[in-house]
Amino acid sequence: MRRYSVALIKGDGIGPEIIDEAVKVLDAVSVQENFEITYREALLGGAAIEMTGDPIPEETVEIATSCDAVLFGAIGGPKWDDLPREKRPETGLLKLRKALGVFANLRPTIVYDELINASPLKPQVIKGTDLIVVRELIGGIYFGEPRGYDGERAYNTMVYTREEVERIARTAFQIAMKRRKRVTSVDKANVLEVSQLWRERVTAVAQEYPEVHLDHLYIDNAAMQLIRDPKQFDVVLTGNIFGDILSDEASMISGSIGLLPSASLGEKHGLYEPIHGSAPDIAGQGIANPIAAIASAAMMLRYQFGEEGGAERIERAIRRVLKEGYRTRDIASFDAKEVVTTSEMGSLIAQYASEL
Ligand code: IPM
Ligand code: MG
């Protein structure tokens, strides 16, 4: 029997509801595929602040670094918005990413044909889109020093080293080799020195992958191209803050931010989380879409454990519920056969993942 340990960090808002559904699906799949997952729960964000006063208690880092993978829901909420930055829930998440060394954040945008009408964009623009944003996650302006705020003046530093750029570039090229062999690197090299280095190092790494076609776009143009013609993209390689922005933008191509999973990978660890936030406005009502969390669990099976069969079961089950017309409220349109709750959606996917 193959055994894996997973740190479960449910977090705040809708986090607990959606992670419970992901666990339900993982349990169903593990029975079919003959592996076993043991879970250890840990606190992060607002939930951790309430219990310990610290958005990332030491025990959480210990649990996250000693398990084989981390499955994470979402953090944050209005209750903690006025805290100083060091004490905010978001700081907990950034410190967790850093502690795990997960420098490569993979955010695929999937357009499910069944949901083509859920996107605010025209079907003919988005149909067939299949792209992945590869976002550098533990450097750039999010972490650069010096940083400060004195009430009069505030500053942050956008910094990348040659090594940091080269390692994320390699990840992007390796992913491109398994896809359509196209990398678009996004920067602001017409203005920023940090982007000049970025462009030079990405271009240098490209030499190692002669089969991959590389082009460069400025971030402003990339933001526009993504809406104008998303099908032109395969792998979008970019830094921390540009990737944060572009991946939210890309999610609208798929129709709902509640659909998209992510994987954050490093040398040793992997952190899997939906790209959406904690949605405090709909928390506890049973209407959140668990698909992003469930699809993140599928990415965990694939990238962390090499359980391709299990990952495919989950992905096929998601397609099947959508094909059959089951919708959570965020993706319900005129073609919904039945609007279901968070937990009904999870149960359907678990059931289909067992049958396939
Ligand atoms: C994301 C989120 C986080 C980020 C926040 C919550 C710190 O927006 O994962 O995209 O900016 O990385
Ligand atoms: Mg974001």
Side-chain angles (χ1 to χ4, degrees):
M1 176 91 92
R2 304 181 301 284
R3 285 175 215 280
Y4 311 107
S5 59
V6 171
L8 266 194
I9 303 183
K10 298 183 179 179
D12 309 320
I14 59 170
E17 303 163 53
I18 56 166
I19 290 299
D20 286 347
E21 300 314 310
V23 169
K24 195 190 269 178
V25 173
L26 282 170
D27 286 345
V29 167
S30 61
V31 171
Q32 300 300 321
E33 297 280 324
N34 249 311
F35 59 82
E36 193 180 278
I37 299 180
T38 53
Y39 299 98
R40 282 180 77 190
E41 278 201 46
L43 295 169
L44 190 76
I49 295 170
E50 298 305 301
M51 297 289 285
T52 69
D54 183 350
I56 178 161
E58 218 154 89
E59 191 195 27
T60 295
V61 176
E62 190 275 315
I63 292 175
T65 51
S66 59
C67 285
D68 297 326
V70 182
L71 187 60
F72 164 61
I75 42 108
K79 192 166 174 197
W80 308 286
D81 272 350
D82 296 329
L83 292 172
R85 196 177 49 81
E86 265 304 299
K87 297 240 173 260
R88 285 181 65 106
E90 289 81 358
T91 300
L93 176 58
L94 297 179
K95 286 189 172 164
L96 178 67
R97 289 172 177 169
K98 193 81 171 175
L100 292 168
V102 288
F103 63 88
N105 182 215
L106 316 185
R107 296 187 162 183
T109 284
I110 308 153
V111 176
Y112 296 102
D113 279 348
E114 293 76 16
L115 296 180
I116 201 100
N117 293 310
S119 171
L121 299 172
K122 293 198 183 80
Q124 66 266 33
V125 173
I126 59 175
K127 193 169 167 45
T129 298
D130 177 13
L131 64 87
I132 181 166
V133 176
V134 177
R135 168 190 178 195
E136 200 291 327
L137 199 60
I138 55 174
I141 198 166
Y142 274 52
F143 292 91
E145 296 287 346
R147 60 192 297 164
Y149 176 70
D150 66 10
E152 278 304 313
R153 219 175 135 259
Y155 53 95
N156 291 89
T157 304
M158 191 151 170
V159 53
Y160 271 117
T161 64
R162 181 177 164 144
E163 214 169 290
E164 284 173 320
V165 179
E166 289 178 0
R167 87 178 161 177
I168 191 69
R170 280 198 185 93
T171 304
F173 283 101
Q174 280 156 16
I175 290 170
M177 285 298 289
K178 296 195 199 136
R179 296 174 49 102
R180 301 194 306 282
K181 300 196 170 69
R182 228 195 137 88
V183 170
T184 304
S185 174
V186 175
D187 62 34
K188 190 72 184 175
N190 49 347
V191 177
L192 305 174
E193 282 82 355
V194 64
S195 288
Q196 183 191 335
L197 173 88
W198 180 277
R199 199 172 270 224
E200 283 166 15
R201 298 330 305 164
V202 171
T203 305
V205 169
Q207 309 299 313
E208 300 165 23
Y209 302 88
E211 282 174 58
V212 178
H213 180 271
L214 168 68
D215 49 23
H216 303 272
L217 286 184
Y218 299 134
I219 175 67
D220 48 350
N221 187 18
M224 184 267 279
Q225 295 293 342
L226 200 53
I227 298 299
R228 191 187 70 80
D229 177 22
K231 286 197 281 282
Q232 68 183 290
F233 295 107
D234 179 16
V235 176
V236 177
L237 161 64
T238 191
N240 206 341
I241 196 162
F242 297 157
D244 180 44
I245 298 164
L246 282 186
S247 59
D248 266 33
E249 190 190 348
S251 76
M252 273 297 105
I253 298 166
S254 76
S256 168
I257 199 164
L259 295 168
L260 297 187
S262 83
S264 302
L265 309 177
E267 305 287 335
K268 245 179 46 217
H269 300 290
L271 168 67
Y272 298 83
E273 56 175 303
I275 84 158
H276 61 70
S278 59
D281 52 324
I282 60 162
Q285 299 175 36
I287 57 175
N289 188 344
I291 289 181
I294 294 169
S296 300
M299 288 186 96
M300 177 178 81
L301 293 185
R302 170 173 300 125
Y303 289 108
Q304 203 77 33
F305 305 148
E307 294 284 353
E308 183 60 31
E312 279 172 15
R313 271 182 187 273
I314 295 176
E315 288 164 355
R316 279 199 303 261
I318 292 173
R319 287 212 155 75
R320 182 165 159 204
V321 290
L322 295 176
K323 199 173 220 116
E324 294 187 356
Y326 296 105
R327 305 278 187 269
T328 43
R329 212 188 54 173
D330 57 314
I331 49 173
S333 57
F334 62 89
D335 57 355
K337 186 186 107 196
E338 204 181 327
V339 178
V340 295
T341 64
T342 308
S343 132
E344 285 165 344
M345 182 59 103
S347 299
L348 281 162
I349 296 172
Q351 183 195 327
Y352 291 171
S354 307
E355 284 171 13
L356 291 164

